[in-house]
Amino acid sequence: MKKRTRVTHLPDVALPPDNRALVAPIYQSVKFSFDDVAETERYFHARRAGYYYSRVSNPTLRQLELALADLQGRDGCLLTASGMAAVSASLLSLLRQGDRVVHFAEMYQPTRTLIRRVLGRFGVTSTLLSIDDLAGLERTLAETSVRLIAFESPTNPVLKVADIERITALARRHGALTLLDNTLAGVHSHGHYDIDLFVHSLTKYVSGHGDVMGGAVIARAELIESMRAELGVLGPTLDPHAAFLMLRGLRSYFVRRDAQCRNAQRIAEFLSGQPYVERVRYPGLASDPGHELAARQMEDFGTIVSFDIAGGLAAGSRFAEALRLFAIAASLGSTESLVVAPAMQQPRELAPEQQAWSDITPGTVRLSIGLEDIDDLIADLEQALAQGQA
Ligand SMILES: Cc1ncc(COP(=O)(O)O)c(C=O)c1O
């Protein structure tokens, strides 16, 4: 063969059966071939295992799917190119025209927009409640037919803790599915609750280093496999290299999470004693309204701390700009600490009553706590709080 043929038909290198790589190779291949048409057909009819086209399945993604499903206590997992793709693929797969979704004012804003604006265009109706209003949830379930309840715990950014046991019991009684965006609690949490679908932004704690985006839907295998064919036609597939970076992140997941939670607890305690801090929200504080429930329900108290700064929007911006170690940036769960100023997280698209449910005030600051030395972080917060009031 000539050189220009040889560069497209490279030599195969297979490891001997008793000789393994400790880190699995990245299957950075779009296509997988079979030796003959009959075997390809058998694969198509699910009569044999294998891989064919990476938009539908890929061995590197499969390794991550198995690991995440195991951590979340389920036997099925689907990976997507972002957390929002996991949320949208789940909702598009499970809902049809005329279905009603219950969701909450305290949820991640793009999820609310997806449910109300995008799915609304396709005839899906929705009811917005406060996650504190379980009596309202019970009334809604009794009065209308609800296909799905979508919620988060803890909520972002105010860290309200949802009562998962009560919500899932109500859902079962009324025949509604539950979808929990478990991003903030992490893939190791809440698996023992009767949740139908977990969704995660892997961009946060699984990646852990702020350099790759991804999402996951985790549920029982039967439900996941029925969704997989639809995901194939919707197309939000995770790239194998991104999956590899997630697998690498996963190896240090618990060590990072434990250290970040310890830092977050110390920071919440420090902020509680500060003069310009009006209210601290962190489930690990005994004074937090969600503390008792969080202590029963969560594996840890998380790595996000929010607080209301005296002086509202302007003081919040001055504070954020005065910080040296906390970057003004979106996202959370990476090794570095981040701040979201009040101006960047006002739920302006909600009606005034719904804004009140959200508990976000003009002074609400969200901190995502990283792995820096705790004394450096506290010193930085102390000097920035003083400057916020200048
Ligand atoms: C709770 C929650 N859900 C979903 C997402 C969306 O994740 P991604 O940015 O990976 O699409 C985020 C991102 O911040 C989030 O905080």
Side-chain angles (χ1 to χ4, degrees), residues 82-84 108 152 156 181 183-184 201 203-204 213-214 331-332:
S82 70
M84 278 316 295
Y108 185 54
E152 288 167 24
N156 184 6
D181 183 334
T183 298
L184 262 67
S201 168
T203 314
K204 317 296 191 239
M213 302 195 81
S331 205
L332 53 97

Side-chain angles (χ1 to χ4, degrees), residues 54-56 79-81 85 89 228-238:
S54 282
R55 198 181 67 232
V56 180
L79 297 171
T80 55
R228 195 181 290 280
E230 302 208 344
L231 193 86
V233 294
L234 291 169
T237 315
L238 188 70

Side-chain angles (χ1 to χ4, degrees), residues 140-202:
T140 306
L141 289 165
E143 287 168 4
T144 54
S145 166
V146 172
R147 167 80 172 144
L148 184 131
I149 302 168
F151 70 112
E152 288 167 24
S153 187
T155 63
N156 184 6
V158 177
L159 306 165
K160 290 188 187 178
V161 183
D163 190 332
I164 301 178
E165 199 167 341
R166 282 192 62 197
I167 292 172
T168 50
L170 284 173
R172 278 285 166 253
R173 195 175 322 141
H174 293 275
L177 294 168
T178 46
L179 179 149
L180 173 60
D181 183 334
N182 212 19
T183 298
L184 262 67
V187 282
H188 61 303
S189 299
H190 297 151
H192 53 293
Y193 288 100
D194 185 19
I195 294 286
D196 293 301
L197 282 108
F198 292 95
V199 291
H200 288 273
S201 168
L202 304 179

